[in-house]
Amino acid sequence: MINLLRRTSITLTTAIAAVLCTAWCAQAELIDLDKFDLSLLMYARAEQIVKSDIRPEMGYPDVRDMNILDRGLYTVVGGRLGLSALLTERFSGYVCFDGHIWTQPVGEFQPRSITEVTSGGVHEAWARVAFGDIERKPFVLTGGLFNYRYATQMRDLGEYLFRSGVYPGYVFSGSEGYELLGLWLKSTAIPNMTHELFFTSIINEVPNFDLSPSYVGHVNIADVVTVGAGIMFSRLISVREEYTTPDSAITPIAREYVEGHGNVQYTHRGIKVMGRIAIDPKPLFNARLFGPEDLKLYAEAALLGTKNYPKYYEEPAERIPVMFGFHFPCFKLLDVLAIEFEYYGTQYMNDPYNNGVPIPGISRGEEAPSTDLEDHPGDADNWKWAIVAEKTIIDHLTFSAIAARDHYRIEDGNGYYQPHELTVMPGQWYWGLGLKASF
Amino acid sequence: MRTGVLAAVMCVGFSAGVATAEGDVTFDISGSFSADITQIVNSSNVRGVEPANSDWLDGYLLQTVDAKIVMAATAREKLKGSFALANEVSFGLPDDNDVAALRKRGSTTFLESAYLSYLCGDPQDSRADLTLGYFSYNYYPDSRVLGGYLFKTGIHPGYIISGNIDPKLRGLLFHARMREFLHHNIFVTTPENDLSLTYLFRAVAESFSLDAAFMAHRVVPYFEGKTDLAKEEANQSPLLHGYRDEDGTRIWYKKSGFKLVGRLTLDFKKMLGLNEERFSSQAMRLYAEAALLGIKNYPGYYERISERVPVMAGVSIPTLKLLDVLAFEIEYYGSPFYNNPIDEPKPLYLFEYSQGTDLAPSNMIHPDTSDVRALIGEHGKGDNIRWAVYAERTFGKSFSVGLRVASDHWRERSAGWYEPLEMLHGPDEWYWYLNFTARL
């Protein structure tokens, strides 16, 4: 990810020049503009953390005011410029640049410290080729950096297969899809079934760049029920094995003596499995009064690591996040009014980083991370919830609102998120308003 | 990188503002490419690693190359979205602790602007419009270096930013036009996540323009009510500074305050009825601006109102179209303190920021600042005058060359704005700057 971003500035200058040249060539009628599509997305969000969670054991020993984030208003303003090209009937490409500016609530978690941060770079860049019948395109291969979702009815929680880790099993939330870098083969050759194979590089969590093959599939039953499943062989191919499976020479804590089990070597490598179901009853009756998103009921569960390890990963039930949601009927007054719940029984803090060690821990700044259960939330944070509403007006403007206690995280300035959740315990939550304009 | 530059140069000189329509949406793409070089001729600024060397910056060369792409989409002639992304490659100042003082290469991609605007009423003759997002605002088109105080200054302490980059605002602008030349502008902006409210009145006629503005700067603060003041006092937070009133009660300075700004521009070509074909549109214009950075006096640093009033004036000389503009600008700002943005609500004591240890008393309450003024000494008066000379010429429709020689509040460029530290500390410290820009 870091190397990708370093190349971004060079890539951007070249891409800008390429776009401008394309524009000049178009003016000179050297190329066919009909094969190119422009898109522009503008977005703005304002979010207020009503009550948050900062604790010294989370690595902020200098914080004196545990309520420093509370009632603060954080804003994001940005846009995305997209250029898609249908170069032949089978071959297409897409590049999208994102730029946004946001406020970072506390720079180093000191009182009265706030930073405005600007960020820009490649959001998506991929090429796509279709095989088979040109009308149906039963096989489509995509390669590059692309945003992916497999359950678009989920508005905040869920989509665990890619929005999670394994050993430790952390989960993310949010309405954006997940960035994948690699290859994606999608097949719709069998009617009512979709099969997708992925071979992707892990670019957002350390250790970076390990390669993972995955499969996602779903069956559509009469447009009423969708059943899906997936499996991910996370970090099957390691870029540097000593980072994926830290041995005692580098990170002593990755190998522990456990009574009755001897020396246990922990690893980031593991298998995730996912199952989901979505029900939309509207095709069963006259649903003229309802919006296309109304009455959808959906659920998903995943197992983040099929193998048990002594001490930290003994109970599979503690590695199974489960979510369910429902779209209330809005009768077209709103596009969506969704309520979602999640139960995730892990006893440990839901943070992806522990100095690169595959053991759940809470960072304590310069001290060694704590794996003591006393320092972790335990069962107190197992339940999460989110309420999301959306409304589109004049075809181009979409307003949204959210209130949630989910896995809220602040951006990290490198296209991803800081590891620490901010709404963890009961009573901690946030609300937000959003505006998107798409052209 | 070279490929990109060459490709961009190939496109230079062509007006390629491509417009394409899709349904009810029209797209416009434009861009620019610029390269500039700056040489600091004389500066007394020092670095942390060698505080006794005030000559290290003399003769220093800096270069910047940047490219920008702007995409605008308009739906139904009323709703417009604009997005601009920029990339800047710079060879700038070394790190403060780099003993070798090697020029540092940096590259940044950043958001230049992202906003929506909506025209109220008939789009062909709209009397009001609303802008929301992240956008630049320039009410001072004649000022090339100095001025533009409304959004390029701060309060408590009162600092000034100079230069040709327009300030970027994050928030909302409502603009209404009464008659043909009276404009009312209301801004709701969020500097540092506080909330500021601004009203700007503009009377723009053919031969003159008059601007008057009032700003409630950071009037709704982010941290008020969200922090435990007693805890901060007990822990001697470095961001708390204040004074004691007559009863001995501690009063803390705040970052919020009120600004007043006034600006007048006169176009002598139109006033005197001269043959305008002989002169460029920007020639023979006189402009002046003044501001009050903080209406209310406070004991300590903000006792004297005269120390919070920057004043500038400028004039563009006629060149019979040899140049588009040749302008002279001068500014007086009587603040005795260091002119830099800072998180604390009081100015830095030391004139030389890089010299490290703050020599002022360590407690947070300062009953008077006479000791501070004694420390600053003549430095505080020596930098009150600033000046700039600017010339620009456009070739064709797209290519321009600009030259600036100035002793202003020069700061190193960074991601579309400036680093906080001023590098010139007197009218005898100056630089020159040469810029080439191609617009597509």
Side-chain angles (χ1 to χ4, degrees):
Chain A
M1 187 64 178
I2 294 172
N3 288 337
L4 179 68
L5 289 172
R6 281 177 184 163
R7 287 192 290 271
T8 294
S9 60
I10 299 171
T11 306
L12 178 64
T13 306
T14 307
I16 288 172
V19 170
L20 293 177
C21 272
T22 301
W24 172 73
C25 291
Q27 184 197 36
E29 298 181 4
L30 294 178
I31 59 174
D32 186 357
L33 260 186
D34 290 340
K35 294 191 174 182
F36 291 85
D37 254 327
L38 292 167
S39 63
L40 180 63
L41 173 71
M42 320 286 301
Y43 57 89
R45 290 197 312 274
E47 294 162 346
Q48 183 181 54
I49 297 178
V50 177
K51 188 95 175 76
S52 70
D53 181 82
I54 297 180
R55 294 174 287 160
E57 59 267 28
M58 290 171 65
Y60 313 126
D62 295 331
V63 173
R64 300 181 180 91
D65 187 346
M66 295 300 114
N67 300 317
I68 189 66
L69 296 184
D70 296 356
R71 302 194 306 282
L73 193 68
Y74 312 113
T75 55
V76 179
V77 178
R80 289 184 188 145
L81 190 162
L83 177 66
S84 59
L86 183 64
L87 300 176
T88 69
E89 284 183 327
R90 296 185 182 274
F91 190 69
S92 59
Y94 179 69
V95 62
C96 176
F97 291 98
D98 176 273
H100 61 279
I101 185 166
W102 81 99
T103 49
Q104 194 141 319
V106 281
E108 294 180 351
F109 288 88
Q110 292 295 328
R112 299 178 186 272
S113 173
I114 192 162
T115 308
E116 193 173 86
V117 187
T118 182
S119 174
V122 175
H123 182 68
E124 289 187 77
W126 48 258
R128 178 169 288 168
V129 59
F131 301 96
D133 179 79
I134 198 60
E135 295 297 326
R136 289 178 48 240
K137 296 190 173 70
F139 297 95
V140 176
L141 178 65
T142 303
L145 179 69
F146 50 91
N147 191 274
Y148 176 72
R149 299 197 62 189
Y150 57 77
T152 54
Q153 65 275 132
M154 296 178 187
R155 284 309 201 253
D156 184 50
L157 302 166
E159 291 196 286
Y160 297 122
L161 192 65
F162 294 109
R163 301 206 301 184
S164 64
V166 58
Y167 310 130
Y170 53 84
V171 296
F172 279 77
S173 60
S175 59
E176 296 271 324
Y178 194 79
E179 265 189 330
L180 295 177
L181 175 68
L183 297 173
W184 169 26
L185 177 63
K186 179 175 180 178
S187 169
T188 52
I190 302 172
N192 298 316
M193 294 182 74
T194 300
H195 302 278
E196 297 171 291
L197 288 173
F198 301 84
F199 189 67
T200 54
S201 172
I202 295 177
I203 57 175
N204 287 321
E205 294 95 32
V206 294
N208 297 113
F209 309 127
D210 288 348
L211 299 168
S212 308
S214 311
Y215 165 80
V216 176
H218 71 257
V219 177
N220 181 328
I221 305 170
D223 290 334
V224 175
V225 178
T226 301
V227 178
I231 184 168
M232 182 179 191
F233 298 90
S234 180
R235 304 179 185 276
L236 181 67
I237 300 173
S238 174
V239 173
R240 291 190 69 169
E241 186 62 32
E242 62 266 33
Y243 291 159
T244 307
T245 305
D247 62 23
S248 59
I250 296 176
T251 316
I253 199 172
R255 180 181 295 174
E256 280 192 31
Y257 178 82
V258 179
E259 190 71 37
H261 298 275
N263 282 321
V264 178
Q265 176 66 59
Y266 298 95
T267 176
H268 286 292
R269 181 176 293 118
I271 299 173
K272 291 188 269 184
V273 293
M274 171 276 295
R276 69 180 184 95
I277 184 169
I279 300 171
D280 181 1
K282 295 193 297 297
L284 299 175
F285 57 90
N286 184 352
R288 283 184 301 124
L289 295 177
F290 296 96
E293 290 294 324
D294 288 356
L295 301 178
K296 289 185 177 177
L297 180 68
Y298 46 94
E300 180 181 356
L303 175 59
L304 306 181
T306 54
K307 182 179 176 182
N308 292 341
Y309 288 91
K311 187 174 179 181
Y312 301 110
Y313 308 113
E314 290 180 332
E315 300 292 335
E318 293 179 359
R319 304 196 301 276
I320 298 178
V322 182
M323 70 81 61
F324 51 95
F326 177 67
H327 291 184
F328 286 96
C330 299
F331 306 103
K332 302 181 183 178
L333 293 174
L334 295 173
D335 296 343
V336 175
L337 177 59
I339 185 165
E340 298 177 348
F341 292 95
E342 175 190 283
Y343 179 86
Y344 184 30
T346 178
Q347 300 296 296
Y348 298 100
M349 196 72 190
N350 182 39
D351 285 346
Y353 299 134
N354 182 15
N355 297 336
V357 175
I359 293 173
I362 285 184
S363 174
R364 283 179 166 171
E366 294 181 356
E367 295 182 29
S370 167
T371 57
D372 293 337
L373 276 176
E374 291 179 355
D375 295 327
H376 288 258
D379 288 324
D381 70 334
N382 287 357
W383 283 98
K384 300 284 192 235
W385 57 270
I387 301 172
V388 179
E390 291 175 15
K391 175 67 180 177
T392 298
I393 61 173
I394 60 173
D395 292 337
H396 297 284
L397 291 180
T398 300
F399 293 90
S400 64
I402 184 170
R405 179 164 67 91
D406 58 7
H407 309 290
Y408 185 85
R409 294 175 168 91
I410 303 166
E411 292 193 50
D412 68 351
N414 287 322
Y416 204 51
Y417 295 96
Q418 295 182 15
H420 301 296
E421 286 187 321
L422 294 179
T423 53
V424 177
M425 308 297 274
Q428 297 170 357
W429 65 286
Y430 74 97
W431 64 268
L433 298 174
L435 171 65
K436 283 185 183 177
S438 56
F439 300 89
Chain B
M1 179 65 180
R2 287 203 188 105
T3 307
V5 169
L6 283 173
V9 169
M10 286 169 62
C11 293
V12 161
F14 291 94
S15 175
V18 172
T20 174
E22 196 170 311
D24 65 343
V25 179
T26 304
F27 290 97
D28 258 308
I29 300 177
S30 61
S32 67
F33 178 83
S34 77
D36 61 66
I37 183 168
T38 302
Q39 184 177 45
I40 309 294
V41 177
N42 181 29
S43 167
S44 64
N45 206 70
V46 299
R47 299 192 305 139
V49 71
E50 42 178 0
N53 181 4
S54 62
D55 296 327
W56 76 275
L57 201 51
D58 295 354
Y60 212 92
L61 280 172
L62 302 99
Q63 301 96 36
T64 304
V65 174
D66 70 71
K68 185 192 308 181
I69 185 166
V70 183
M71 182 163 173
T74 305
R76 302 177 189 174
E77 296 184 341
K78 297 186 74 162
L79 179 67
K80 176 183 171 184
S82 179
F83 174 73
L85 204 59
N87 176 243
E88 183 181 277
V89 178
S90 63
F91 298 88
L93 296 178
D95 290 333
D96 204 46
N97 294 316
D98 178 5
V99 176
L102 294 174
R103 191 174 295 111
K104 188 175 63 177
R105 183 189 185 277
S107 179
T108 313
T109 302
F110 57 92
L111 180 69
E112 176 74 17
S113 66
Y115 63 87
L116 287 174
S117 61
Y118 182 79
L119 298 178
C120 305
D122 180 0
Q124 305 304 323
D125 185 31
S126 176
R127 294 271 170 173
D129 53 84
L130 186 68
T131 302
L132 173 68
Y134 182 63
F135 52 93
S136 301
Y137 189 79
N138 182 324
Y139 65 93
Y140 48 92
D142 294 286
S143 287
R144 301 307 175 121
V145 183
L146 301 166
Y149 296 131
L150 187 59
F151 296 113
K152 294 171 77 172
T153 58
I155 290 179
H156 307 150
Y159 63 84
I160 298 173
I161 307 286
S162 65
N164 62 332
I165 300 178
D166 294 336
K168 297 182 180 60
L169 310 179
R170 188 161 49 97
L172 183 149
L173 162 61
F174 176 73
H175 164 250
R177 178 167 58 93
M178 312 281 179
R179 305 197 179 180
E180 291 306 313
F181 62 95
L182 298 179
H183 302 263
H184 302 276
N185 301 275
I186 297 173
F187 300 81
V188 180
T189 53
T190 59
E192 303 289 335
N193 235 37
D194 296 338
L195 204 68
S196 295
L197 303 173
T198 306
Y199 170 70
L200 170 64
F201 167 78
R202 310 197 67 203
V204 182
E206 273 200 4
S207 60
F208 78 94
S209 69
L210 176 69
D211 304 292
F214 171 82
M215 176 188 281
H217 180 67
R218 301 174 73 166
V219 66
V220 180
Y222 168 82
F223 281 105
E224 277 306 306
K226 300 178 185 65
T227 54
D228 189 330
L229 191 58
K231 277 188 186 176
E232 288 192 76
E233 291 177 350
N235 292 315
Q236 293 198 318
S237 166
L239 296 178
L240 285 183
H241 293 271
Y243 58 94
R244 293 189 187 277
D245 65 8
E246 293 169 350
D247 300 327
T249 305
R250 286 180 300 192
I251 309 292
W252 301 116
Y253 295 129
K254 294 182 181 181
K255 297 296 284 183
S256 58
F258 299 95
K259 274 191 228 179
L260 296 174
V261 176
R263 182 179 176 91
L264 175 67
T265 303
L266 302 173
D267 188 326
F268 287 104
K269 302 187 302 295
K270 298 190 187 299
M271 292 174 70
L272 299 174
L274 299 178
N275 181 358
E276 295 187 40
E277 289 184 5
R278 289 173 168 266
F279 306 98
S280 70
S281 61
Q282 299 165 72
M284 296 190 69
R285 293 169 70 90
L286 176 71
Y287 46 98
E289 185 174 358
L292 175 57
L293 307 181
I295 293 175
K296 189 177 174 185
N297 289 341
Y298 293 97
Y301 302 105
Y302 311 115
E303 292 175 333
R304 306 177 189 176
I305 197 169
S306 60
E307 293 176 351
R308 307 195 302 275
V309 179
V311 181
M312 69 81 60
V315 62
S316 56
I317 306 296
T319 61
L320 301 177
K321 291 193 172 181
L322 291 174
L323 297 171
D324 296 343
V325 62
L326 175 60
F328 298 88
E329 298 178 353
I330 191 164
E331 175 191 277
Y332 178 87
Y333 182 38
S335 167
F337 305 114
Y338 206 54
N339 179 42
N340 285 325
I342 187 173
D343 286 342
E344 290 115 320
K346 59 91 179 169
L348 287 170
Y349 290 128
L350 287 181
F351 199 79
E352 296 296 344
Y353 181 77
S354 299
Q355 281 187 342
T357 307
D358 194 335
L359 297 178
S362 60
N363 59 306
M364 295 177 291
I365 295 289
H366 309 289
D368 67 71
T369 55
S370 58
D371 52 345
V372 175
R373 294 174 191 276
L375 280 171
I376 292 174
E378 288 305 309
H379 275 303
K381 300 173 187 172
D383 70 337
N384 290 356
I385 302 284
R386 303 294 177 140
W387 56 267
V389 179
Y390 181 82
E392 183 179 293
R393 171 67 196 252
T394 299
F395 300 91
K397 293 181 182 178
S398 306
F399 188 64
S400 65
V401 179
L403 175 66
R404 180 199 316 159
V405 179
S407 174
D408 63 333
H409 308 287
W410 188 87
R411 295 171 168 87
E412 189 180 9
R413 275 177 59 175
S414 173
W417 194 231
Y418 300 101
E419 293 288 339
L421 298 186
E422 200 178 44
M423 294 291 182
L424 304 178
H425 307 301
D428 59 333
E429 301 181 22
W430 61 284
Y431 68 96
W432 62 264
Y433 163 89
L434 184 64
N435 169 264
F436 302 89
T437 299
R439 296 180 185 83
L440 303 174

